[in-house]
Amino acid sequence: MKVLVTGGMGYIGSHTCVQMIEAGITPVIIDNLCNAKREVLNRIKNLTQTTPVFYEGDVRDETLLDRVFSEQKIDSVVHFAGLKAVGESVAKPLEYYDNNVNGSLVLARAMRKAGVKSLVFSSSATVYGDPASVPITESFPTGATTNPYGRSKYMVEECLRDLFYAEPDWSITLLRYFNPVGAHPSGSMGEDPQGIPNNLMPFIAQVAVGRRDHLSVFGDDYATPDGTGVRDYIHVMDLADGHIAAIRGVGNKAGLHIYNLGTGQGSSVLDMVNAFTAACGHDVPYQICPRRPGDIAECWASTAKVEADLGWKATRTVEQMTADTWNWQSKNPNGYE
Ligand code: NAD
Ligand code: UFG
């Protein structure tokens, strides 16, 4: 089976390519390298003894997509390519809508032309906005998002929903990720954010390795057990396996399939700091700061539907997430550079 992986050089895409190869699936990558390094291909090769076919280019380039589909016999597409920084999306909404929404439309059009009608889309728990309660099931309302990034994910979900209603022979799978963290257990692949990390885990990792002096904890007055924000952190290797479960489970079944990919468990900011301290063997200095605008108190998944339908369940613990992040960060203090 051959799967086109858009954004396959990025954080989640690269780990998914490795797991695909291990599972006997052939990934073909298209990535414009706007947020990834070419070195990722060498890391995939060293881990799997396989170098995936790589097209350097943009998913908005329909001519390139037509060429990819004519040169490769693609069975299914996993669409990771997009921009993902919440703060940047507020400053650059047009870039976000063009890349994330328009990119997905161009891709879907090229797929239809090529007769490839199996698509897995990287969505996000952000589509649920501030949920009325936790755990969040797939039937919770979506759309009350608070920033252009979140709205772009919601819009693509709605576009794909309409596509499925119009052309019900498609298999469209919307995977709503909770908080992906961790790294390949070898320490040779992981998250390599450009500039100052926006997300908790890469920030903690950079403090632990000495690149930054302390973590700012955004608020300790939420209605949570220790007052800090609670999220559903999921190991990137589990997330990668979730894509394979989706492709194999529903990728060839016409339908609109929607799943949360999380662990079903919440951890607070201080839980993650403590777990990281245990993993790296020294303190991670932090300061309590005001809340970050737009943040919510708690966000964690119900995983009942994905477990029942796909037989997939995240198995890696917070201890493994922090240990693997530390292993990657300490072996590659400057990422892939
Ligand atoms: P990432 O930035 O590491 O990977 C995205 C990849 O897409 C990069 O390699 C980038 O170079 C490429 N890319 C971007 N725009 C492109 C374009 N127009 N054409 C071709 N390539 C392009 O991000 P990630 O963390 O691996 O996230 C992958 C997907 O998952 C994204 O769609 C993201 O929105 C979604 N997601 C991520 C998270 C998270 O916390 N990491 C959470 C929920 C959803
Ligand atoms: N946090 C800090 N300090 C930091 C960074 C984060 O205290 O320096 C806290 C936040 O306030 C929050 C928690 O750590 O309570 C997690 O924050 P992240 O920025 O790591 O993640 P978010 O839950 O805010 O958002 C992430 C992605 C979004 C995605 C969402 C749901 O950034 O793109 O998960 O999947 F939409």
Side-chain angles (χ1 to χ4, degrees):
M1 179 189 229
K2 214 184 244 192
V3 175
L4 179 63
V5 183
T6 78
M9 300 287 275
Y11 171 47
I12 303 170
S14 57
H15 290 79
T16 304
C17 285
V18 166
Q19 293 304 84
M20 280 181 177
I21 295 167
E22 303 290 352
I25 296 171
T26 305
V28 172
I29 299 175
I30 177 169
D31 196 303
N32 66 4
L33 299 181
C34 72
N35 195 34
K37 304 263 162 48
R38 190 174 286 278
E39 171 62 15
V40 168
L41 265 193
N42 295 328
R43 306 289 172 107
I44 296 176
K45 179 176 177 222
N46 291 342
L47 286 171
T48 63
Q49 286 71 57
T50 306
T51 308
V53 174
F54 171 48
Y55 292 86
E56 182 175 345
D58 200 294
V59 291
R60 290 164 295 182
D61 180 349
E62 198 161 343
T63 309
L64 172 62
L65 288 182
D66 291 344
R67 179 159 77 82
V68 173
F69 284 113
S70 74
E71 288 178 0
Q72 308 289 334
K73 212 188 145 342
I74 300 292
D75 298 294
S76 205
V77 177
V78 181
H79 181 36
F80 293 106
L83 302 177
K84 64 164 184 177
V86 171
E88 185 185 62
S89 79
V90 177
K92 298 181 174 174
L94 296 183
E95 283 81 351
Y96 271 69
Y97 291 123
D98 186 41
N99 207 322
N100 295 3
V101 182
N102 184 33
S104 302
L105 299 183
V106 173
L107 174 66
R109 202 159 55 218
M111 288 176 67
R112 182 170 56 187
K113 258 189 279 175
V116 178
K117 294 194 167 187
S118 169
L119 173 63
V120 176
F121 173 63
S122 292
S123 189
S124 166
T126 195
V127 299
Y128 296 116
D130 193 354
S133 60
V134 278
I136 301 170
T137 71
E138 289 83 350
S139 57
F140 272 36
T142 56
T145 50
T146 54
N147 55 72
Y149 166 71
R151 271 189 285 280
S152 75
K153 290 288 166 189
Y154 172 70
M155 286 177 186
V156 176
E157 284 203 358
E158 293 303 293
C159 293
L160 294 177
R161 190 187 294 274
D162 286 340
L163 172 60
F164 171 71
Y165 290 152
E167 300 178 25
D169 56 334
W170 280 73
S171 165
I172 293 177
T173 307
L174 310 177
L175 297 180
R176 296 176 178 156
Y177 311 158
F178 281 65
N179 289 58
V181 298
H184 193 276
S186 63
S188 65
M189 277 189 358
E191 189 170 10
D192 181 17
Q194 291 174 2
I196 302 172
N198 301 301
N199 296 117
L200 179 66
M201 198 57 153
F203 203 106
I204 294 179
Q206 292 193 4
V207 173
V209 83
R211 273 173 77 177
R212 311 198 179 270
D213 40 273
H214 72 275
L215 168 75
S216 299
V217 173
F218 298 139
D220 68 347
D221 57 352
Y222 287 104
T224 60
D226 65 18
T228 66
V230 168
R231 298 288 184 275
D232 187 339
Y233 297 94
I234 173 169
H235 199 298
V236 67
M237 298 296 284
D238 277 327
L239 195 64
D241 292 341
H243 290 75
I244 293 166
I247 292 167
R248 292 225 161 116
V250 289
N252 60 1
K253 290 194 185 117
L256 178 68
H257 315 286
I258 305 179
Y259 297 112
N260 287 338
L261 293 187
T263 64
Q265 275 171 12
S267 302
S268 74
V269 175
L270 295 181
D271 290 337
M272 298 310 281
V273 170
N274 293 335
F276 211 98
T277 301
C280 73
H282 58 79
D283 276 350
V284 175
Y286 67 85
Q287 282 175 11
I288 305 295
C289 298
R291 292 181 179 193
R292 183 172 65 178
D295 271 357
I296 58 178
E298 256 190 292
C299 176
W300 48 280
S302 162
T303 57
K305 186 178 178 217
V306 67
E307 281 175 35
D309 287 10
L310 302 183
W312 170 89
K313 189 177 172 19
T315 58
R316 290 152 177 101
T317 60
V318 164
E319 285 67 33
Q320 283 167 288
M321 300 176 205
T322 48
D324 288 336
T325 303
W326 175 241
N327 189 30
W328 151 253
Q329 185 72 65
S330 49
K331 284 182 176 156
N332 305 268
N334 296 311
Y336 289 110
E337 302 251 308

